[in-house]
Amino acid sequence: MELRQRPRIGVMGPALCLPDVYNLAREVGYLIGIKGAILICGGRGGVMEASAKGAREAGGLTIGILPGASASEANPYIDIPIVTDLGNARNAINVLTSQAIIAIHGSYGTLSEIALALNCHTPVVGLDT
């Protein structure tokens, strides 16, 4: 399948999480990778790192939409870091780039991404959230 035709699935969740949430996110990322979809996330730690790790383990492609001004803040499982220097405003890019959102656990940042996705009529799945 041509790269541009692959589904883009956003995984949203907190930068800090407990091991059970990390493992859930890793499994979700793995399933995204196995299906040949592109994983979109915030590119940093916690749920973002776990989902990217799972996708990479499955041979998938990962994109991290970073809040800061340096690609070095991306976790080691991000194939393509997108540097925005937008802080939390990068949440809109996460959502608009994704064709569906999987929200795992989270707090206010994840909640804002869920709200943005629903407002844009992007399908949302919530796990432990």
Side-chain angles (χ1 to χ4, degrees), residues 19-108:
D20 59 328
V21 173
Y22 189 95
N23 291 333
L24 174 62
R26 186 174 174 186
E27 182 178 351
V28 166
Y30 185 84
L31 294 171
I32 290 169
I34 281 290
K35 293 295 184 180
I38 298 169
L39 182 129
I40 308 292
C41 70
R44 296 185 5 188
V47 164
M48 299 169 278
E49 176 182 308
S51 62
K53 182 176 185 177
R56 285 275 301 275
E57 288 171 346
L61 179 66
T62 63
I63 298 175
I65 312 292
L66 300 166
S70 174
S72 66
E73 70 183 75
N75 71 62
Y77 308 105
I78 295 299
D79 294 310
I80 302 172
I82 307 294
V83 177
T84 69
D85 200 19
L86 292 174
N88 288 331
R90 65 91 149 74
N91 292 354
I93 297 169
N94 284 344
V95 169
L96 292 171
T97 301
S98 302
Q99 295 169 303
I101 300 293
I102 301 172
I104 302 173
H105 202 61
S107 188
Y108 299 122

